[in-house]
Amino acid sequence: MSIGHTLLGLLESGPRHGYDLKRAFDEKFGHDRPLHYGQVYSTMSRLLKNGLVEVDGIEPGGGPERKRYAITDAGITDVQQWLATPEKPEPYLQSTLYTKVVLALLTRRNAADILDTQRSEHLRMMRILTDRKRKGDLADQLICDHALFHLEADLRWLELTAARLDKLAEVVTK
């Protein structure tokens, strides 16, 4: 996720302080990975330097002065271009799990145990996500669905690999 573009998008609804941007980000997108304040302010500094935001006002506070940021026309254009650009699908062609299976075969360890352990971990995570989905709002349900679909694909791969393990062992141990 592009934090800069997300913060720019949040600014399109109106000027905000860094604290307000962090709170809005965490509420909408940061359920699992909230932003650190330092991340917000370093990102805003970069966006300011690049002309994508401007300081809309400065207010005195109990500590440092509080800057209120507003998106510029260039920032709006940048967000629009980012939203219109498709994300590159990630094919996972060199997954760590595949590497572990092959290394287990090469070192004469039990690759089936690795697959079984991973299957159990995937199922455990799927139960957690399913429970979270059941209790969550629509945004949380959609995020959980995305993760669950990826885990289901991984499970299919685990099953397929387990079924082909003897053949894979022949190929990799030649």
Side-chain angles (χ1 to χ4, degrees):
M1 174 189 324
S2 170
I3 294 169
H5 287 111
T6 306
L7 294 176
L8 283 172
L10 290 171
L11 281 173
E12 282 200 49
S13 65
R16 299 182 192 209
H17 296 97
Y19 174 83
D20 297 325
L21 284 168
K22 179 200 174 347
R23 191 177 54 199
F25 181 98
D26 289 351
E27 183 181 299
K28 299 287 185 197
F29 311 107
H31 295 286
D32 296 316
R33 295 177 68 182
L35 281 180
H36 297 287
Y37 284 104
Q39 213 172 355
V40 172
Y41 292 109
S42 65
T43 301
M44 295 311 296
S45 177
R46 188 181 79 253
L47 295 173
L48 187 61
K49 179 181 159 196
N50 293 335
L52 302 176
V53 297
E54 60 191 7
V55 175
D56 186 58
I58 298 176
E59 301 168 6
E65 294 179 328
R66 294 176 30 140
K67 293 179 185 173
R68 188 175 54 244
Y69 299 96
I71 191 168
T72 63
D73 289 340
I76 292 170
T77 300
D78 198 58
V79 171
Q80 185 155 344
Q81 289 173 346
W82 178 69
L83 290 172
T85 304
E87 291 297 309
K88 180 183 175 202
E90 295 295 331
Y92 305 110
L93 291 178
Q94 281 297 332
S95 78
T96 304
L97 185 53
Y98 172 78
T99 302
K100 286 182 173 186
V101 169
V102 171
L103 282 175
L105 294 170
L106 288 173
T107 59
R108 308 280 189 239
R109 289 183 172 92
N110 191 335
D113 286 350
I114 291 171
L115 294 170
D116 288 343
T117 300
Q118 192 63 49
R119 184 181 303 106
S120 295
E121 185 61 18
H122 270 60
L123 291 171
R124 184 187 71 76
M125 181 56 67
M126 289 176 82
R127 284 190 296 275
I128 291 169
L129 288 168
T130 301
D131 186 54
R132 177 176 162 181
K133 177 183 166 180
R134 194 172 318 132
K135 295 174 183 173
D137 61 11
L138 180 59
D140 216 31
Q141 291 169 13
L142 290 170
I143 289 168
C144 289
D145 280 338
H146 186 264
L148 285 165
F149 292 149
H150 281 275
L151 290 170
E152 286 174 8
D154 286 350
L155 280 176
R156 287 194 315 267
W157 182 86
L158 289 166
E159 294 302 323
L160 180 66
T161 304
R164 295 178 174 174
L165 210 46
D166 291 337
K167 193 169 193 167
L168 181 61
E170 290 174 21
V171 172
V172 299
T173 58
K174 280 185 185 180

